[in-house]
Amino acid sequence: MNNEISTSRAGEDLLEAVYILSKKYYCVRSVDVAAYLDITKATVSRTTKFLMADAMIVKDEDGGIKLTESGRIIAEEVYNKHCFFRQWLLDADVEPEVAEREACQLEHMISGDTFEKLKKAYGNV
């Protein structure tokens, strides 16, 4: 297992992107993820290989990317952190573009335990 990649920022970003895109599209393809994250298809391919090795995602026969149960759990955690921090920053009158960018940074820096404590202290923003 290469848990380093699946728990890295790149791995978390890709899992979160697949999670978000799967709500919009029936089939999520590498090109969709690359466009969403504004990265190259080669980067998506490299990260996808590691996430497949860690059983976080699978590819179907049509090349679509799907989250496994463990991948979905991580993707939801990252997405929930992102939404919380984005709203928290917006509520503090941070410009929307800055709030979006900094929520992306915060979602990777805060542990699950700290995040739960923040939600408890500040409510479900």
Side-chain angles (χ1 to χ4, degrees), residues 12 73-74 76-78 80-81 84-85 106-120:
E12 288 180 350
I73 289 169
I74 292 172
E76 284 181 348
E77 287 174 0
V78 174
N80 289 335
K81 286 179 185 179
F84 176 87
F85 288 120
L106 288 167
E107 73 191 25
H108 300 290
M109 296 171 40
I110 303 296
S111 71
D113 184 53
T114 299
F115 179 60
E116 290 304 316
K117 289 176 181 175
L118 287 170
K119 283 194 325 188
K120 185 176 179 182

Side-chain angles (χ1 to χ4, degrees), residues 10-74:
E12 288 180 350
D13 282 344
L14 193 136
L15 292 171
E16 181 185 24
V18 172
Y19 177 76
I20 292 167
L21 292 170
S22 68
K23 293 180 177 295
K24 187 175 180 179
Y25 303 114
Y26 173 75
C27 180
V28 178
R29 298 187 169 279
S30 295
V31 67
D32 302 321
V33 175
Y36 182 83
L37 293 174
D38 194 27
I39 58 177
T40 66
K41 288 188 285 183
T43 300
V44 171
S45 178
R46 180 180 170 273
T47 305
T48 297
K49 287 177 186 174
F50 287 115
L51 292 171
M52 288 175 64
D54 284 349
M56 297 289 171
I57 60 171
V58 294
K59 280 198 169 187
D60 62 23
E61 59 277 354
D62 296 326
I65 302 170
K66 300 204 182 297
L67 297 170
T68 63
E69 182 64 18
S70 55
R72 184 193 57 76
I73 289 169
I74 292 172

